[in-house]
Amino acid sequence: MPNVTLFILGLFLFAFATELFGGRLKRSPRPWRDVLFMLFGFGSNVLLAGALIGSAIGWALTHWLPAHAGSLAGTAFWLAFPLIFVTEEFAHYCLHRAAHEWRWLWKVHRTHHSAQHLNVSVVYRYNFFWVFMLPQTWMGAIAVYYGLTAPFLAAVLTTYIVNLGTHSSYRWDLWLREKLPASEPVWKVLERIITLPDTHHAHHAYGSKNAHPNGNYAVTIFLFDVLFSTAKIPNSRQEKFGLPISPRLHWAEELLWPVVKKPLLPKPETATLTTATEKPAG
């Protein structure tokens, strides 16, 4: 577990440094706010939520089902990995979709969407309470207790690598498609199965026909969006990210709603906002 954590941290730091020294993070209207939100989400997610949920589930299972500890350790990896991976991905799809359809849950998830520039720091841009809802943490604690640590970690790594790739400000998918036009039939199939930057950038965008904030919910298995009619594949770059009200959201409400509730801040003089009334996902 420590080695995997260090590997994940190393991947993130490499991706973050690539964007930082490539001048990508300067494109955000509020880069320091983005970094502080990222650090808050990283601490909430990695250092606090995982420890609290893991301890709570571990204690409960030890007391209620002591005979089951490690009982699935002999399960074949080829069977356990896809079961854990697909189950977790579907659970996240359902939670994510609900967060865009239920107003109260949207305000917990909204922090992830208020970033006005999409980059890898958004991977950790969370409201404090959102991280306690993520199914991966809960499933992980149960999987480890039952002896399925290896397949669970493989699922985590798969999801994490895709998540970094789809939040990156570098549109590597379009670059590859432009450089290798003969591979286009492969991309046409791949983009309907796996989440790519094209579809996830559309999810974080607004204000154009290519944006799709109320859809493209899958983290990795985009096939869920295709099957449940929430998919949109624009094959284009997005112009505006975030929400129309992003500049008017108070930092304390973004990080701590519903414990902290704040009214919208006054409209910035230099911004032209189309609405003062918030709707889920823009």
Side-chain angles (χ1 to χ4, degrees), residues 162-239:
V162 172
N163 215 11
L164 281 182
T166 57
H167 283 89
S168 174
S169 62
Y170 289 100
R171 287 302 306 272
W172 53 268
D173 57 330
L174 292 182
W175 183 83
L176 286 173
R177 295 175 87 151
E178 291 167 1
K179 295 296 182 181
L180 302 170
S183 67
E184 190 60 24
V186 177
W187 288 101
K188 288 296 184 183
V189 175
L190 192 65
E191 67 187 1
R192 287 164 172 76
I193 300 174
I194 300 172
T195 300
L196 296 173
D198 185 56
T199 50
H200 201 65
H201 278 227
H203 177 69
H204 278 270
Y206 77 97
S208 76
K209 64 179 182 179
N210 293 320
H212 193 46
N214 291 312
N216 294 3
Y217 300 121
V219 177
T220 303
I221 306 177
F222 193 71
L223 184 60
F224 289 138
D225 282 292
V226 175
L227 293 175
F228 295 108
S229 302
T230 54
K232 182 175 183 177
I233 305 174
N235 292 150
S236 65
R237 300 181 189 275
Q238 302 296 331
E239 298 176 0

Side-chain angles (χ1 to χ4, degrees), residues 206 240 244 267 272-277:
Y206 77 97
K240 293 190 292 186
K267 293 182 179 181
T272 302
L273 300 175
T274 59
T275 179
T277 303

Side-chain angles (χ1 to χ4, degrees), residues 39-214:
L39 293 174
F40 179 88
F42 180 84
S44 300
N45 189 356
V46 178
L47 303 180
L48 185 59
L52 290 178
I53 293 173
S55 298
I57 291 181
W59 179 88
L61 292 175
T62 300
H63 283 75
W64 297 336
L65 299 170
H68 290 253
S71 59
L72 298 179
T75 305
F77 181 89
W78 64 266
L79 178 62
F81 167 72
L83 181 61
I84 293 173
F85 179 63
V86 174
T87 301
E88 190 278 325
E89 286 291 317
F90 182 66
H92 194 283
Y93 171 87
C94 294
L95 172 66
H96 193 186
R97 181 171 179 172
H100 282 257
E101 295 178 349
W102 302 350
R103 185 177 179 82
W104 69 271
L105 190 55
W106 161 246
K107 297 191 77 171
V108 180
H109 178 57
R110 181 183 62 187
T111 308
H112 185 66
H113 280 271
S114 64
Q116 294 173 273
H117 178 259
L118 194 60
N119 54 74
V120 294
S121 73
V122 180
V123 168
Y124 289 111
R125 187 186 177 99
Y126 291 131
N127 172 289
F128 177 78
F129 299 102
W130 177 256
V131 298
F132 288 88
M133 301 178 185
L134 297 177
Q136 189 177 77
T137 308
W138 295 87
M139 287 187 61
I142 296 172
V144 170
Y145 182 80
Y146 277 91
L148 299 174
T149 302
F152 169 71
L153 291 179
V156 168
L157 284 175
T158 303
T159 298
Y160 192 78
I161 291 171
V162 172
N163 215 11
L164 281 182
T166 57
H167 283 89
S168 174
S169 62
Y170 289 100
R171 287 302 306 272
W172 53 268
D173 57 330
L174 292 182
W175 183 83
L176 286 173
R177 295 175 87 151
E178 291 167 1
K179 295 296 182 181
L180 302 170
S183 67
E184 190 60 24
V186 177
W187 288 101
K188 288 296 184 183
V189 175
L190 192 65
E191 67 187 1
R192 287 164 172 76
I193 300 174
I194 300 172
T195 300
L196 296 173
D198 185 56
T199 50
H200 201 65
H201 278 227
H203 177 69
H204 278 270
Y206 77 97
S208 76
K209 64 179 182 179
N210 293 320
H212 193 46
N214 291 312

